[in-house]
Amino acid sequence: MKNKREGKVIFSPYERGDAVKKVVAISREDVLFELRESILKGRGGAGFPTATKWTLVSAAISDEKFVVCNADEGEPGTFKDRILLLEYPELIFDGMVVAGYTIGAKKGIVYLRGEYEYMLKSLEDYLGEMRKDNLLGENICGKIGFNFDITIRLGSGAYVCGEETALIESLEGNRGEARNRPPYPVNTGYLGKPTTVNNVETFAAVSHIITKGGSWFAKFGTDKSTGAKLFSVSGDCEKPGVYELPWGTTINELLEIVGAKNTKAVQVGGASGICIPKSQFNRKLGYEDAATGGSIIIFNESRNMLHILKNFMEFFVEESCGQCTPCRIGNVKLLEGIEMIENNNYTFSYLNHLKELGKTMQVASKCGLGQSSPNAFLSILENFKDEIFNNGGNNGK
Amino acid sequence: MESRSNFRTPVSQQAHVIEKPKDTSTIGGMVAIEINEKKVSVPFGTTILEACKMNGISVPTLCHHEDLCVAGVCRICVVEVEGMKTLQASCAFPITNPIKIKTSSPMVRKARRHVIDLLLSEHYGECYSCFRNGKCELQNLAKEYGVDNYTFGHVTKPRYEIDNSSYSVIRDMSKCILCKRCVRTCIDLQEVGVLEAVNRGHETKISTFLDKPLLDVICINCGQCINRCPTAALRANDPSDEIWAAIDDPTKHVVIQTAPSPRAAICEEFGMEPGHSLTKELNTALRRIGFDKVFDTNTTADLTIIEEGTELILRLYKAIVKKESVALPQFTSCSPGWVKFLEHYYPEYIDNLSSAKSPQQMFGALIKTFYAKKAGIDPENIVSVAVMPCSAKKFECNRPEMNSSGYKDVDYGLTTRELARMIKEAGINLPEMPKSDFDSPFGEASGAGLIFGATGGVMEAAIRTVYEFITGNKIEDAFEKAEVKPVRGFEGIRYVELPLGEKFGPVPDILKHFIPNWDWLKGVTLKVAVAHGTANAKKIMDDIKAGGKFSECHFIEFMACPGGCLGGGGQPIPTTPEIRKKRAEAIYAEDESLEIRKAHENPNVVKLYEEFLTDGPCGHISHKLLHTHYTKRGRYIA
């Protein structure tokens, strides 16, 4: 049933329970040590060091703690978590058990994207099998006193619920709106208890790190971006799909692998990411250069960059939660600006106002959604101004 | 997580309440920070906004309100914190480590300007035709930040229809800037929760349940949302045009009654500091505007005390002596917001409400009967106006049962704000008016009626009278200067026990036909409580439901608004704990200056019982005119 996927890290051999069996034999400190050695950073896109997050949660004093798996894969162009959930659930769930062991939590929650409801049954069944094997439940793998179980909760389709504090709000049954930070979920998370929220792929990486060692993981990738990353590649190429590549791979190399020709631009990091023009295709994928949670969208010469930008902005206007001013109204203004260009009814001075507005949104919005929504606007207008303005906005189809 | 259990607001709109150290001299009690390169130290857990305020640095705010939990959504108060990539909302950022803050860097100024520009681009309406002109927080910010053009455009058409279904609160959502103060007011402060944000992104709006008109949801009309709205998105239903028309109509005899709270707050509308009562200046101004008679609501507040006090004594007598089952504790009924709150949320306790009408409605019934007859005027031609600190009074006077005079007892409820506008429109500068007295036949009232305006006031007034009725002693013997201090203050819920002792006086004449003596009260300790703000009322009601200590009370005063009437939904904007405190001080100071300070010593009230309400308190005439009934509304409305 399982597809054979190529990869030296995430897709490397792994048997269900490997990490759990190993982790119960070592101490919490040992786990945190391996994680520090691995220099694993969050795979959702923000890149927060996992070891630091777990250290903070495990140090927090509370009668109850939670492990939350962010499976609200909503970034346009991302579908790598879907592959992990469908084909490698053992990596995710084992990683969550490791997290529970490390931070001292008894409960794990998978916040599953509403559109992935079709997976619910098979994932529940899988959890049932894990319970039979004593990989979940009480005294896991014979470790007296180590109790941990996982439940799955469905989202309802709001993009903002991928933001960890909005996700927690949603879990608590409230409107999906980001919270004020500080405090951070590591202290005040789900139900006000210390909570670690990690991406699906992060848990998968943890399972490998526990079985094969932190230093093994750190051998892959670059100094600052260790290990390999799953990339969801879509757009104008011959072989779209999910690829495991080491961090540090250049965009050119990636384009080669997926069979992309006549590429004009690559959107790295989804709608909230940046648009990279041909002249910068030698840039490396990694936290220190072109960062991404996995979304790679390829555009060839036939594409109209303004249409692409408009599509992204329409997405943000729709998906802003609407609580803070810069994001709620700012995105509308940026979209209006694009429509002005489209209709050839703009002034550069107004567009410059909008660029300044975009920069304000990046620093003044309440959460990551509004802080990253102007990225596409700013990078596409900057990198493709010749196309957009010299041809009256009518370049391409 | 104390904050979690106390509030129902989504956590996204709450600041993390960091407990401030009790003793800031302990290690870590103070945090050394830098604001604009000035070194200062603040208690651990102080927000950046508080820290700036303490140090005389002004930071603009919009969604922030002293009475409410933090939202952090408008983003106008952002500041730069060294080492952080993004700007931080100063209202929501607790200081727990040494940080360096810049409150006016180029990035901060630009962001604030952008926030204002964006809000203005969506805010419908022109300032010069707006009732908040000059008192609008958005307008003030635009001025402060030198906005002289609409950078991102300006709407020219309203986005939403105005909802003017309610007798009390009008919602014009095209002027809403989504600060959610009304939402937090309704949910946290009042625990009513008829307003909440719906939809997402640009479609977000503040809505009622299923977007129904406000009249059709369980709004209690308290108007606290109006007091906290920074713009004109919420306002009271203003009857001043109709009142002007009545004044201008020579066939109409227009009388007005003034409640104590507007008199203690209207100065704020004329640029004065809070805390000055302009009672007698107001009398003159009202006559100059054209009102034919000016009466003091305190007269019927005194009457309320006699009626409600008698009712309480009767309930106790029935319970203790006749062993009948009567509803106790008795609840006050003068706050129409509270009455509607109970009708919706605790309809099963409707019998506990005192059947005595509120002072406004008692006066209304008397004006169109007693006064009309005395003055020889056809009640048909009397227009009765009430100046109230309250938006719920507008609903109350429109309750269908409020027509015991044979006419609509009170024609219009006017708020303090609306009256101030009428006075200004008439070209009168209120503080400069000469002083004059109230009109007869009611004239001046007692200090007991006056203190109805502050939370605990009804209880204090009742205690002054009931204590003297029962013990035959002067209240001054028990409480210095007749100040029943234990029921005063701003604590959300107050509970007081009052032992009645063993020695009683004779039964006063007006009660003699009900009870023979006071012996049955021997050894009884009178248990009373006071609550203001319906969130506090809810706590007491839930306790009563659970059979807690408040279920053993005899009498409980409930006021819908924080601070009581002086913090009512018709009072001048803004409202803060500090302003409410000053208004209370003004009211208590006026009480202290009066000679008559007990309801039963008000000569006009004594005369009323002699001449008109001849079968005494809770008698037939009184029941017809001064008492009412309530409706079990429940929470579901068609």
Side-chain angles (χ1 to χ4, degrees), chain A residues 169 175 177 180 183 319-320 323-325 333 356 360 363-364 366, chain B residues 11-12 16 71 73-75 87 110 114 180 197 199-201:
Chain A
E169 281 288 297
R175 263 173 83 80
E177 288 183 344
N180 289 307
E319 291 294 345
S320 162
Q323 64 166 330
C324 80
T325 314
K333 295 298 159 194
E356 288 302 309
T360 288
V363 292
K366 186 168 177 176
Chain B
V11 187
S12 63
H16 181 43
V73 296
C74 75
R75 316 307 285 178
L87 300 176
K110 193 179 77 182
H114 274 143
K180 292 192 186 170
N199 299 340
R200 204 165 63 191

PDB file of all heavy atoms in Angstrom, chain A residues 169 175 177 180 183 319-320 323-325 333 356 360 363-364 366, chain B residues 11-12 16 71 73-75 87 110 114 180 197 199-201:
ATOM      1  N   GLU A 169      -7.252  28.472  20.263  1.00  0.00           N
ATOM      2  CA  GLU A 169      -8.590  29.064  20.447  1.00  0.00           C
ATOM      3  C   GLU A 169      -9.646  28.151  19.830  1.00  0.00           C
ATOM      4  O   GLU A 169     -10.686  27.900  20.421  1.00  0.00           O
ATOM      5  CB  GLU A 169      -8.667  30.432  19.761  1.00  0.00           C
ATOM      6  CG  GLU A 169      -8.033  31.566  20.529  1.00  0.00           C
ATOM      7  CD  GLU A 169      -8.843  31.963  21.750  1.00  0.00           C
ATOM      8  OE1 GLU A 169      -9.988  32.399  21.583  1.00  0.00           O
ATOM      9  OE2 GLU A 169      -8.335  31.827  22.859  1.00  0.00           O
ATOM     10  N   ARG A 175     -13.903  31.377  18.467  1.00  0.00           N
ATOM     11  CA  ARG A 175     -13.569  31.882  17.135  1.00  0.00           C
ATOM     12  C   ARG A 175     -12.087  31.707  16.897  1.00  0.00           C
ATOM     13  O   ARG A 175     -11.288  31.930  17.800  1.00  0.00           O
ATOM     14  CB  ARG A 175     -13.855  33.385  17.084  1.00  0.00           C
ATOM     15  CG  ARG A 175     -15.168  33.781  16.494  1.00  0.00           C
ATOM     16  CD  ARG A 175     -15.363  35.272  16.673  1.00  0.00           C
ATOM     17  NE  ARG A 175     -14.689  36.074  15.646  1.00  0.00           N
ATOM     18  CZ  ARG A 175     -15.167  36.271  14.431  1.00  0.00           C
ATOM     19  NH1 ARG A 175     -16.305  35.752  14.091  1.00  0.00           N
ATOM     20  NH2 ARG A 175     -14.514  36.996  13.554  1.00  0.00           N
ATOM     21  N   GLU A 177      -9.118  33.062  16.377  1.00  0.00           N
ATOM     22  CA  GLU A 177      -8.443  34.359  16.377  1.00  0.00           C
ATOM     23  C   GLU A 177      -7.163  34.224  17.176  1.00  0.00           C
ATOM     24  O   GLU A 177      -7.148  33.604  18.241  1.00  0.00           O
ATOM     25  CB  GLU A 177      -9.338  35.417  17.053  1.00  0.00           C
ATOM     26  CG  GLU A 177     -10.538  35.825  16.215  1.00  0.00           C
ATOM     27  CD  GLU A 177     -11.356  36.915  16.881  1.00  0.00           C
ATOM     28  OE1 GLU A 177     -11.182  37.136  18.095  1.00  0.00           O
ATOM     29  OE2 GLU A 177     -12.165  37.539  16.182  1.00  0.00           O
ATOM     30  N   ASN A 180      -3.020  37.392  22.043  1.00  0.00           N
ATOM     31  CA  ASN A 180      -1.904  38.284  22.318  1.00  0.00           C
ATOM     32  C   ASN A 180      -0.722  37.462  22.811  1.00  0.00           C
ATOM     33  O   ASN A 180      -0.885  36.538  23.585  1.00  0.00           O
ATOM     34  CB  ASN A 180      -2.291  39.302  23.401  1.00  0.00           C
ATOM     35  CG  ASN A 180      -3.280  40.317  22.894  1.00  0.00           C
ATOM     36  OD1 ASN A 180      -3.045  40.954  21.873  1.00  0.00           O
ATOM     37  ND2 ASN A 180      -4.400  40.450  23.578  1.00  0.00           N
ATOM     38  N   PRO A 183       1.570  36.051  26.675  1.00  0.00           N
ATOM     39  CA  PRO A 183       2.287  34.811  26.970  1.00  0.00           C
ATOM     40  C   PRO A 183       2.269  33.871  25.769  1.00  0.00           C
ATOM     41  O   PRO A 183       1.383  33.956  24.939  1.00  0.00           O
ATOM     42  CB  PRO A 183       1.469  34.204  28.107  1.00  0.00           C
ATOM     43  CG  PRO A 183       0.068  34.643  27.805  1.00  0.00           C
ATOM     44  CD  PRO A 183       0.195  36.014  27.217  1.00  0.00           C
ATOM     45  N   GLU A 319      -9.164  35.259   4.062  1.00  0.00           N
ATOM     46  CA  GLU A 319      -8.764  34.441   5.200  1.00  0.00           C
ATOM     47  C   GLU A 319      -8.318  35.225   6.437  1.00  0.00           C
ATOM     48  O   GLU A 319      -8.079  34.645   7.483  1.00  0.00           O
ATOM     49  CB  GLU A 319      -7.649  33.464   4.787  1.00  0.00           C
ATOM     50  CG  GLU A 319      -8.135  32.372   3.836  1.00  0.00           C
ATOM     51  CD  GLU A 319      -9.144  31.422   4.492  1.00  0.00           C
ATOM     52  OE1 GLU A 319      -9.266  31.415   5.730  1.00  0.00           O
ATOM     53  OE2 GLU A 319      -9.832  30.696   3.744  1.00  0.00           O
ATOM     54  N   SER A 320      -8.171  36.531   6.316  1.00  0.00           N
ATOM     55  CA  SER A 320      -7.850  37.316   7.512  1.00  0.00           C
ATOM     56  C   SER A 320      -8.946  37.056   8.535  1.00  0.00           C
ATOM     57  O   SER A 320     -10.121  36.965   8.185  1.00  0.00           O
ATOM     58  CB  SER A 320      -7.820  38.801   7.152  1.00  0.00           C
ATOM     59  OG  SER A 320      -7.922  39.584   8.319  1.00  0.00           O
ATOM     60  N   GLN A 323      -9.716  40.474  13.144  1.00  0.00           N
ATOM     61  CA  GLN A 323      -9.702  41.166  14.434  1.00  0.00           C
ATOM     62  C   GLN A 323      -8.785  42.380  14.441  1.00  0.00           C
ATOM     63  O   GLN A 323      -9.141  43.399  15.038  1.00  0.00           O
ATOM     64  CB  GLN A 323      -9.384  40.224  15.602  1.00  0.00           C
ATOM     65  CG  GLN A 323      -7.995  39.596  15.573  1.00  0.00           C
ATOM     66  CD  GLN A 323      -7.629  38.957  16.919  1.00  0.00           C
ATOM     67  OE1 GLN A 323      -8.075  39.403  17.969  1.00  0.00           O
ATOM     68  NE2 GLN A 323      -6.825  37.906  16.876  1.00  0.00           N
ATOM     69  N   CYS A 324      -7.632  42.352  13.814  1.00  0.00           N
ATOM     70  CA  CYS A 324      -6.753  43.523  13.914  1.00  0.00           C
ATOM     71  C   CYS A 324      -6.831  44.380  12.652  1.00  0.00           C
ATOM     72  O   CYS A 324      -7.024  43.886  11.547  1.00  0.00           O
ATOM     73  CB  CYS A 324      -5.324  43.137  14.273  1.00  0.00           C
ATOM     74  SG  CYS A 324      -4.314  42.549  12.920  1.00  0.00           S
ATOM     75  N   THR A 325      -6.676  45.673  12.869  1.00  0.00           N
ATOM     76  CA  THR A 325      -6.881  46.643  11.797  1.00  0.00           C
ATOM     77  C   THR A 325      -5.934  46.450  10.602  1.00  0.00           C
ATOM     78  O   THR A 325      -6.402  46.438   9.461  1.00  0.00           O
ATOM     79  CB  THR A 325      -6.725  48.074  12.360  1.00  0.00           C
ATOM     80  OG1 THR A 325      -7.457  48.156  13.583  1.00  0.00           O
ATOM     81  CG2 THR A 325      -7.226  49.099  11.383  1.00  0.00           C
ATOM     82  N   LYS A 333      -6.843  46.902   0.967  1.00  0.00           N
ATOM     83  CA  LYS A 333      -6.223  48.032   0.258  1.00  0.00           C
ATOM     84  C   LYS A 333      -5.174  47.537  -0.736  1.00  0.00           C
ATOM     85  O   LYS A 333      -5.052  48.069  -1.842  1.00  0.00           O
ATOM     86  CB  LYS A 333      -5.588  49.002   1.258  1.00  0.00           C
ATOM     87  CG  LYS A 333      -6.598  49.687   2.167  1.00  0.00           C
ATOM     88  CD  LYS A 333      -7.564  50.543   1.370  1.00  0.00           C
ATOM     89  CE  LYS A 333      -8.838  50.797   2.161  1.00  0.00           C
ATOM     90  NZ  LYS A 333      -9.922  51.340   1.338  1.00  0.00           N
ATOM     91  N   GLU A 356       4.474  51.078   1.614  1.00  0.00           N
ATOM     92  CA  GLU A 356       4.726  51.451   3.014  1.00  0.00           C
ATOM     93  C   GLU A 356       3.706  50.783   3.926  1.00  0.00           C
ATOM     94  O   GLU A 356       4.035  50.317   5.012  1.00  0.00           O
ATOM     95  CB  GLU A 356       4.661  52.974   3.183  1.00  0.00           C
ATOM     96  CG  GLU A 356       5.843  53.717   2.569  1.00  0.00           C
ATOM     97  CD  GLU A 356       7.170  53.244   3.153  1.00  0.00           C
ATOM     98  OE1 GLU A 356       7.274  53.219   4.395  1.00  0.00           O
ATOM     99  OE2 GLU A 356       8.073  52.885   2.371  1.00  0.00           O
ATOM    100  N   THR A 360       4.170  48.265   7.138  1.00  0.00           N
ATOM    101  CA  THR A 360       3.519  48.419   8.443  1.00  0.00           C
ATOM    102  C   THR A 360       2.798  47.144   8.835  1.00  0.00           C
ATOM    103  O   THR A 360       2.885  46.688   9.971  1.00  0.00           O
ATOM    104  CB  THR A 360       2.520  49.590   8.409  1.00  0.00           C
ATOM    105  OG1 THR A 360       3.248  50.810   8.366  1.00  0.00           O
ATOM    106  CG2 THR A 360       1.642  49.595   9.647  1.00  0.00           C
ATOM    107  N   VAL A 363       4.890  44.562  10.478  1.00  0.00           N
ATOM    108  CA  VAL A 363       5.339  44.735  11.865  1.00  0.00           C
ATOM    109  C   VAL A 363       4.201  44.997  12.848  1.00  0.00           C
ATOM    110  O   VAL A 363       4.361  44.811  14.046  1.00  0.00           O
ATOM    111  CB  VAL A 363       6.375  45.879  11.992  1.00  0.00           C
ATOM    112  CG1 VAL A 363       7.674  45.492  11.301  1.00  0.00           C
ATOM    113  CG2 VAL A 363       5.839  47.199  11.456  1.00  0.00           C
ATOM    114  N   ALA A 364       3.066  45.469  12.354  1.00  0.00           N
ATOM    115  CA  ALA A 364       2.029  45.912  13.295  1.00  0.00           C
ATOM    116  C   ALA A 364       0.849  44.953  13.406  1.00  0.00           C
ATOM    117  O   ALA A 364       0.004  45.125  14.276  1.00  0.00           O
ATOM    118  CB  ALA A 364       1.519  47.300  12.909  1.00  0.00           C
ATOM    119  N   LYS A 366      -1.331  41.610  14.296  1.00  0.00           N
ATOM    120  CA  LYS A 366      -1.321  40.885  15.565  1.00  0.00           C
ATOM    121  C   LYS A 366      -0.665  39.515  15.448  1.00  0.00           C
ATOM    122  O   LYS A 366      -0.015  39.061  16.367  1.00  0.00           O
ATOM    123  CB  LYS A 366      -2.757  40.735  16.080  1.00  0.00           C
ATOM    124  CG  LYS A 366      -2.851  40.124  17.469  1.00  0.00           C
ATOM    125  CD  LYS A 366      -4.250  40.275  18.029  1.00  0.00           C
ATOM    126  CE  LYS A 366      -4.351  39.586  19.396  1.00  0.00           C
ATOM    127  NZ  LYS A 366      -5.660  39.784  20.014  1.00  0.00           N
TER     128      LYS A 366
ATOM    129  N   VAL B  11     -10.184  33.877  24.924  1.00  0.00           N
ATOM    130  CA  VAL B  11      -8.860  34.139  25.471  1.00  0.00           C
ATOM    131  C   VAL B  11      -8.047  34.999  24.518  1.00  0.00           C
ATOM    132  O   VAL B  11      -7.155  35.728  24.928  1.00  0.00           O
ATOM    133  CB  VAL B  11      -8.136  32.813  25.737  1.00  0.00           C
ATOM    134  CG1 VAL B  11      -6.826  33.055  26.456  1.00  0.00           C
ATOM    135  CG2 VAL B  11      -9.022  31.922  26.575  1.00  0.00           C
ATOM    136  N   SER B  12      -8.395  34.952  23.223  1.00  0.00           N
ATOM    137  CA  SER B  12      -7.644  35.751  22.264  1.00  0.00           C
ATOM    138  C   SER B  12      -7.729  37.215  22.605  1.00  0.00           C
ATOM    139  O   SER B  12      -6.900  38.009  22.205  1.00  0.00           O
ATOM    140  CB  SER B  12      -8.187  35.524  20.854  1.00  0.00           C
ATOM    141  OG  SER B  12      -9.519  35.967  20.776  1.00  0.00           O
ATOM    142  N   HIS B  16      -2.659  38.104  29.353  1.00  0.00           N
ATOM    143  CA  HIS B  16      -2.273  37.149  30.361  1.00  0.00           C
ATOM    144  C   HIS B  16      -2.152  37.925  31.663  1.00  0.00           C
ATOM    145  O   HIS B  16      -1.355  38.842  31.771  1.00  0.00           O
ATOM    146  CB  HIS B  16      -0.927  36.557  29.966  1.00  0.00           C
ATOM    147  CG  HIS B  16      -0.440  35.536  30.916  1.00  0.00           C
ATOM    148  ND1 HIS B  16      -1.256  34.569  31.441  1.00  0.00           N
ATOM    149  CD2 HIS B  16       0.789  35.326  31.435  1.00  0.00           C
ATOM    150  CE1 HIS B  16      -0.532  33.793  32.238  1.00  0.00           C
ATOM    151  NE2 HIS B  16       0.699  34.242  32.251  1.00  0.00           N
ATOM    152  N   ALA B  71      -7.823  43.628  24.608  1.00  0.00           N
ATOM    153  CA  ALA B  71      -8.111  43.020  23.314  1.00  0.00           C
ATOM    154  C   ALA B  71      -6.856  42.979  22.443  1.00  0.00           C
ATOM    155  O   ALA B  71      -6.500  41.964  21.885  1.00  0.00           O
ATOM    156  CB  ALA B  71      -9.214  43.785  22.611  1.00  0.00           C
ATOM    157  N   VAL B  73      -6.421  44.554  19.599  1.00  0.00           N
ATOM    158  CA  VAL B  73      -6.799  44.366  18.202  1.00  0.00           C
ATOM    159  C   VAL B  73      -6.689  45.615  17.328  1.00  0.00           C
ATOM    160  O   VAL B  73      -6.541  45.497  16.118  1.00  0.00           O
ATOM    161  CB  VAL B  73      -8.234  43.795  18.059  1.00  0.00           C
ATOM    162  CG1 VAL B  73      -8.305  42.423  18.671  1.00  0.00           C
ATOM    163  CG2 VAL B  73      -9.272  44.707  18.677  1.00  0.00           C
ATOM    164  N   CYS B  74      -6.750  46.809  17.922  1.00  0.00           N
ATOM    165  CA  CYS B  74      -6.759  47.986  17.043  1.00  0.00           C
ATOM    166  C   CYS B  74      -5.360  48.306  16.537  1.00  0.00           C
ATOM    167  O   CYS B  74      -5.204  48.852  15.467  1.00  0.00           O
ATOM    168  CB  CYS B  74      -7.382  49.188  17.751  1.00  0.00           C
ATOM    169  SG  CYS B  74      -6.309  49.946  18.988  1.00  0.00           S
ATOM    170  N   ARG B  75      -4.370  47.982  17.323  1.00  0.00           N
ATOM    171  CA  ARG B  75      -2.943  48.160  16.982  1.00  0.00           C
ATOM    172  C   ARG B  75      -2.497  49.620  16.970  1.00  0.00           C
ATOM    173  O   ARG B  75      -1.433  49.932  16.446  1.00  0.00           O
ATOM    174  CB  ARG B  75      -2.575  47.488  15.654  1.00  0.00           C
ATOM    175  CG  ARG B  75      -3.125  46.110  15.445  1.00  0.00           C
ATOM    176  CD  ARG B  75      -2.831  45.144  16.547  1.00  0.00           C
ATOM    177  NE  ARG B  75      -1.453  44.656  16.576  1.00  0.00           N
ATOM    178  CZ  ARG B  75      -0.992  43.828  17.510  1.00  0.00           C
ATOM    179  NH1 ARG B  75      -1.782  43.419  18.475  1.00  0.00           N
ATOM    180  NH2 ARG B  75       0.256  43.436  17.504  1.00  0.00           N
ATOM    181  N   LEU B  87       6.364  45.154  15.987  1.00  0.00           N
ATOM    182  CA  LEU B  87       5.925  46.102  17.006  1.00  0.00           C
ATOM    183  C   LEU B  87       4.997  45.375  17.985  1.00  0.00           C
ATOM    184  O   LEU B  87       4.333  44.410  17.615  1.00  0.00           O
ATOM    185  CB  LEU B  87       5.182  47.268  16.349  1.00  0.00           C
ATOM    186  CG  LEU B  87       5.998  48.078  15.336  1.00  0.00           C
ATOM    187  CD1 LEU B  87       5.119  49.144  14.679  1.00  0.00           C
ATOM    188  CD2 LEU B  87       7.208  48.723  15.992  1.00  0.00           C
ATOM    189  N   LYS B 110       4.669  55.764  11.922  1.00  0.00           N
ATOM    190  CA  LYS B 110       4.098  55.400  10.618  1.00  0.00           C
ATOM    191  C   LYS B 110       2.999  54.364  10.791  1.00  0.00           C
ATOM    192  O   LYS B 110       1.932  54.461  10.185  1.00  0.00           O
ATOM    193  CB  LYS B 110       5.215  54.840   9.717  1.00  0.00           C
ATOM    194  CG  LYS B 110       4.798  54.737   8.262  1.00  0.00           C
ATOM    195  CD  LYS B 110       5.908  54.207   7.384  1.00  0.00           C
ATOM    196  CE  LYS B 110       6.041  52.716   7.560  1.00  0.00           C
ATOM    197  NZ  LYS B 110       7.122  52.108   6.780  1.00  0.00           N
ATOM    198  N   HIS B 114      -0.875  54.745   9.828  1.00  0.00           N
ATOM    199  CA  HIS B 114      -1.520  53.800   8.912  1.00  0.00           C
ATOM    200  C   HIS B 114      -2.791  53.219   9.510  1.00  0.00           C
ATOM    201  O   HIS B 114      -3.801  53.076   8.822  1.00  0.00           O
ATOM    202  CB  HIS B 114      -0.556  52.651   8.557  1.00  0.00           C
ATOM    203  CG  HIS B 114       0.332  52.984   7.397  1.00  0.00           C
ATOM    204  ND1 HIS B 114       1.646  52.573   7.335  1.00  0.00           N
ATOM    205  CD2 HIS B 114       0.103  53.692   6.283  1.00  0.00           C
ATOM    206  CE1 HIS B 114       2.185  53.017   6.197  1.00  0.00           C
ATOM    207  NE2 HIS B 114       1.268  53.687   5.545  1.00  0.00           N
ATOM    208  N   LYS B 180     -14.350  46.145  19.414  1.00  0.00           N
ATOM    209  CA  LYS B 180     -14.960  45.109  20.255  1.00  0.00           C
ATOM    210  C   LYS B 180     -15.148  45.524  21.714  1.00  0.00           C
ATOM    211  O   LYS B 180     -15.306  44.680  22.593  1.00  0.00           O
ATOM    212  CB  LYS B 180     -14.149  43.815  20.192  1.00  0.00           C
ATOM    213  CG  LYS B 180     -14.220  43.161  18.835  1.00  0.00           C
ATOM    214  CD  LYS B 180     -13.658  41.773  18.893  1.00  0.00           C
ATOM    215  CE  LYS B 180     -13.593  41.176  17.494  1.00  0.00           C
ATOM    216  NZ  LYS B 180     -12.854  39.929  17.484  1.00  0.00           N
ATOM    217  N   ALA B 197     -18.656  39.314  17.478  1.00  0.00           N
ATOM    218  CA  ALA B 197     -18.175  39.447  16.113  1.00  0.00           C
ATOM    219  C   ALA B 197     -18.583  38.210  15.321  1.00  0.00           C
ATOM    220  O   ALA B 197     -18.496  37.092  15.829  1.00  0.00           O
ATOM    221  CB  ALA B 197     -16.664  39.601  16.103  1.00  0.00           C
ATOM    222  N   ASN B 199     -18.508  36.473  11.106  1.00  0.00           N
ATOM    223  CA  ASN B 199     -17.829  36.460   9.802  1.00  0.00           C
ATOM    224  C   ASN B 199     -16.330  36.675   9.965  1.00  0.00           C
ATOM    225  O   ASN B 199     -15.817  36.801  11.073  1.00  0.00           O
ATOM    226  CB  ASN B 199     -18.408  37.505   8.852  1.00  0.00           C
ATOM    227  CG  ASN B 199     -19.869  37.246   8.583  1.00  0.00           C
ATOM    228  OD1 ASN B 199     -20.338  36.139   8.796  1.00  0.00           O
ATOM    229  ND2 ASN B 199     -20.586  38.258   8.139  1.00  0.00           N
ATOM    230  N   ARG B 200     -15.656  36.745   8.820  1.00  0.00           N
ATOM    231  CA  ARG B 200     -14.198  36.720   8.851  1.00  0.00           C
ATOM    232  C   ARG B 200     -13.667  37.841   7.994  1.00  0.00           C
ATOM    233  O   ARG B 200     -14.365  38.343   7.109  1.00  0.00           O
ATOM    234  CB  ARG B 200     -13.775  35.366   8.289  1.00  0.00           C
ATOM    235  CG  ARG B 200     -12.447  34.890   8.704  1.00  0.00           C
ATOM    236  CD  ARG B 200     -12.291  33.426   8.408  1.00  0.00           C
ATOM    237  NE  ARG B 200     -12.359  33.135   6.969  1.00  0.00           N
ATOM    238  CZ  ARG B 200     -12.463  31.910   6.474  1.00  0.00           C
ATOM    239  NH1 ARG B 200     -12.544  30.882   7.290  1.00  0.00           N
ATOM    240  NH2 ARG B 200     -12.505  31.709   5.178  1.00  0.00           N
ATOM    241  N   GLY B 201     -12.431  38.212   8.256  1.00  0.00           N
ATOM    242  CA  GLY B 201     -11.729  39.174   7.405  1.00  0.00           C
ATOM    243  C   GLY B 201     -12.505  40.457   7.254  1.00  0.00           C
ATOM    244  O   GLY B 201     -13.065  40.993   8.205  1.00  0.00           O
TER     245      GLY B 201
END
